[in-house]
Amino acid sequence: MVAPLLAAPAASAQDAARSLDAAMPDAEAPVDAEAPVDAEAPDQDDPANATPAEDEAAARALGPDDDDAGAPEGEALPEVPAVASEIAAMSSRTCLRAMVRAHIDFERPRHFPAGVGTPVIVRGPIRGVTFHESRATAVRELMDCRLAVALARYATFLRTLHIREVRHLSLWRVAGRGERLADGLYPRHPGGMAIDAATFVRDDGTTLNVQRDYHGRRGRAPCGPRARVAPDAAARTLRTLHCEPARRGWFHVVLGPNFNYEHRNHLHLEVVRGVSWNFIR
């Protein structure tokens, strides 16, 4: 596994996780659980053995192969992220079947960290969009399968805006102090369920950088009727990249620079198990 996947989280990332814990609605109460560091991937999750019902569920979770340019700015956000909840509830085999259907190049690691439900290593683009760590020269990204499926929904939309690459600051990372297992799984980054997208690269090579181009104001609504967006074209596009996944319900948690200082340089996109709420800031 490449070095960026094994790097310990920075102090600022730990601070952001603690801030998130305090602000977000409660999910299931965390419990202590002992899990092996390494485990064998079970054969029953082989996507080739998916039933017709699982294949249908995989297709539904992926959505269409193409998309439109999104809703007009200012449209109200849904109260329930239905797609994200459906993705989070998928079995491992259904989720892996969705990755096969989406033609995502991936492998299942023989050994993987405790707390990741269905770990996969993505080795190439997801529906035409490459997601990789900002400093990486090759694509080899460890995540939970469910995040990969949510990113497939997002990537289909990104292509309508001619975005071919997303550089992130964090995807999977080791658990920090205070991040605890719940039913044997971690939430957020230690569970491979979140990505911090920092830079979006267009087909022509130009970039949209969250820290440079977002132009938000901390504490203000980023999306919906009360949102205020700078007239700058890059800022408006980044606001669409922030709000549209929330509006479509592809992720439970969508955060950006308006949330707090720790999110000044990225969009945090996260799928959460076992909840029906969303948290958009």
Side-chain angles (χ1 to χ4, degrees):
M1 192 148 317
V2 296
L5 294 179
L6 300 178
S12 62
Q14 294 177 3
D15 292 340
R18 285 192 289 270
S19 175
L20 205 53
D21 279 330
M24 285 202 311
D26 290 334
E28 295 179 0
V31 296
D32 289 326
E34 293 294 332
V37 173
D38 295 323
E40 293 285 343
D43 291 337
Q44 61 264 30
D45 291 341
D46 186 347
N49 297 327
T51 66
E54 289 171 328
D55 188 57
E56 181 180 348
R60 187 171 59 249
L62 283 170
D65 291 332
D66 53 14
D67 210 336
D68 57 47
E73 188 56 51
E75 183 174 309
L77 300 174
E79 295 182 1
V80 178
V83 176
S85 294
E86 183 175 5
I87 291 172
M90 286 192 299
S91 68
S92 292
R93 190 163 68 185
T94 301
C95 187
L96 293 169
R97 180 61 186 163
M99 293 189 69
V100 172
R101 287 187 65 100
H103 305 290
I104 299 170
D105 182 12
F106 73 97
E107 66 184 73
R108 294 211 66 198
R110 182 179 177 188
H111 303 289
F112 54 86
V116 182
T118 309
V120 295
I121 296 175
V122 174
R123 302 180 299 195
I126 297 176
R127 281 188 163 175
V129 179
T130 301
F131 296 83
H132 67 90
E133 199 271 337
S134 293
R135 297 163 296 178
T137 57
V139 178
R140 190 170 173 81
E141 297 292 342
L142 174 65
M143 65 187 80
D144 189 282
C145 176
R146 293 156 190 85
L147 179 62
V149 174
L151 290 177
R153 297 297 293 262
Y154 192 36
T156 305
F157 175 70
L158 292 177
R159 289 304 301 144
T160 69
L161 300 177
H162 307 290
I163 290 170
R164 59 173 170 81
E165 179 183 350
V166 176
R167 300 170 186 166
H168 70 78
L169 301 178
S170 179
L171 203 152
W172 176 84
R173 64 172 181 248
V174 297
R177 185 177 301 173
E179 293 181 298
R180 304 176 68 185
L181 290 165
D183 295 330
L185 298 172
Y186 281 115
R188 295 199 291 276
H189 295 284
M193 298 287 276
I195 183 172
D196 290 342
T199 302
F200 298 82
V201 184
R202 293 189 175 105
D203 290 340
D204 63 5
T206 59
T207 61
L208 298 165
N209 181 278
V210 174
Q211 183 163 12
R212 181 191 67 207
D213 300 321
Y214 191 91
H215 301 311
R217 182 168 295 185
R218 206 161 302 136
R220 290 195 174 180
C223 312
R226 295 174 53 243
R228 297 292 179 268
V229 187
D232 178 76
R236 296 194 69 84
T237 301
L238 279 172
R239 196 63 64 98
T240 298
L241 297 175
H242 182 158
C243 298
E244 200 61 22
R247 189 171 288 117
R248 305 288 188 95
W250 296 329
F251 301 92
H252 293 93
V253 181
V254 183
L255 307 174
N258 285 17
F259 179 47
N260 61 14
Y261 179 77
E262 286 78 11
H263 290 79
R264 69 195 180 280
N265 58 359
H266 65 272
L267 303 180
H268 174 99
L269 307 170
E270 178 184 350
V271 177
V272 184
R273 297 178 180 88
V275 304
S276 59
W277 46 257
N278 58 13
F279 189 73
I280 303 160
R281 297 290 187 275

